Amino acid sequence: MSETQRVQKPAWYFREYAPVGVELGTPQAVASYDRNQGTSAERDNELLDRLAVRRGSVLVDLACGTGSFVVEAARRRADAHGVDVSPEMLRYATKRAESEGVSAHWHHAGFLDHQHPGPAADVVTTRSALHQLPDMWKQHALRNAAGMLKPGGTFYLWDAMFSFDPAAADQELQLWVDAAAGGHTFTPEEFETHIREEFSTYTWILEGLLDRAGFELVSSSCPMPTQGEFVCRKR
Ligand SMILES: C[S@@+](CC[C@H](N)C(=O)[O-])C[C@H]1O[C@@H](n2cnc3c(N)ncnc32)[C@H](O)[C@@H]1O
């Protein structure tokens, strides 16, 4: 597992290795993560197909968590890189790759400081994680992601993001919390913590950040008012 060489940052720099919001880095949280998140190899493969990830493609998954997506990419012989700030998540991901008999690269690094080694990436992805950064730092992260990609390469973002009318925010957020009750997913209290302490933002803010990071929008969709995706191409 490689460690990004950490460059001394100014005191005002965002501390991306410090946990934010819902605690996901404990062994117990990691062990129950896939069940709570509904991780599915089938859905991973659908997305890999959509993004045309195949043998020899260079893929970087930022904030890879338990590594299912990277493992599925490696299974199809992509040059697959998983990046995460959590040593516990990376331990789990590494074991998953070993037990599945696939070879991937794992990096203990973050959105802000990861330096992609080797040839520029064809595809950079990040799912359910960019909200860990306040908006100004999202812009840093997206610029860093763009720097990993070859021109014309694909950037994929899936996250908790808000497409509702800001005037309806209180009702929409409460509906989101209430929907978690009784499901086999994160608890309503964890959703409350997410809203209060993490940094999910509006889709129209993300569009501006993506544009300023050098991405052209290929498609976007919001299956729920609180979740959505962007598929982008590096200009
Ligand atoms: C909700 S999980 C998502 C994991 C995975 N992408 C998925 O879709 O299942 C959020 C992940 O982001 C990681 N993370 C938090 N801040 C990060 C940062 N600044 N850079 C990289 N990873 C980060 C956490 O350790 C955790 O593994």
Side-chain angles (χ1 to χ4, degrees):
M1 197 189 301
S2 72
E3 291 271 336
T4 282
Q5 218 178 0
R6 311 226 190 283
V7 177
Q8 183 77 30
K9 298 285 189 200
W12 46 260
Y13 209 82
F14 188 75
R15 299 193 176 155
E16 63 176 335
Y17 290 78
V20 169
V22 178
E23 177 55 84
L24 293 177
T26 63
Q28 299 85 324
V30 173
S32 57
Y33 178 80
D34 284 335
R35 179 171 41 81
N36 288 337
Q37 186 72 353
T39 303
S40 141
E42 198 183 328
R43 271 206 301 280
D44 288 340
N45 277 294
E46 279 167 16
L47 180 58
L48 289 165
D49 287 344
R50 278 177 64 204
L51 301 177
V53 174
R54 52 178 77 100
R55 187 187 190 105
S57 304
V58 180
L59 169 106
V60 182
D61 188 34
L62 296 169
C64 63
T66 55
S68 66
F69 191 65
V70 174
V71 164
E72 292 309 316
R75 205 191 296 289
R76 47 177 85 191
R77 301 291 176 88
D79 179 11
H81 296 253
V83 178
D84 206 285
V85 293
S86 160
E88 204 61 52
M89 284 289 192
L90 287 170
R91 249 191 298 281
Y92 190 98
T94 310
K95 278 203 191 123
R96 168 179 248 145
E98 274 167 19
S99 72
E100 300 279 335
V102 303
S103 167
H105 311 277
W106 303 103
H107 306 274
H108 184 221
F111 279 117
L112 303 177
D113 71 358
H114 181 56
Q115 295 160 26
H116 174 62
D122 298 289
V123 178
V124 174
T125 54
T126 184
R127 302 185 305 167
S128 306
L130 192 65
H131 65 261
Q132 296 277 315
L133 301 176
D135 286 355
M136 191 193 82
W137 298 103
K138 288 187 184 77
Q139 184 73 82
H140 279 62
L142 293 172
R143 284 174 48 81
N144 195 29
M148 297 171 204
L149 277 166
K150 52 176 69 156
T154 301
F155 179 69
Y156 177 85
L157 167 66
W158 166 268
D159 207 354
M161 58 178 77
F162 305 140
S163 53
F164 47 68
D165 177 351
D170 291 1
Q171 297 94 299
E172 292 286 354
L173 293 169
Q174 191 59 53
L175 281 172
W176 192 33
V177 170
D178 293 344
H184 301 286
T185 171
F186 294 105
T187 63
E189 291 72 25
E190 286 169 321
F191 275 75
E192 286 166 343
T193 305
H194 177 108
I195 296 165
R196 192 176 56 242
E197 297 174 21
E198 303 183 24
F199 306 102
S200 285
T201 195
Y202 285 106
T203 49
W204 43 271
I205 292 178
L206 288 167
E207 277 168 28
L209 296 174
L210 287 162
D211 178 45
R212 285 164 180 80
F215 293 117
E216 177 189 306
L217 192 58
V218 175
S219 70
S220 66
S221 104
C222 291
M224 286 171 62
T226 48
Q227 283 184 316
E229 69 166 25
F230 287 100
V231 182
C232 306
R233 186 173 300 121
K234 178 173 166 172
R235 283 194 208 101

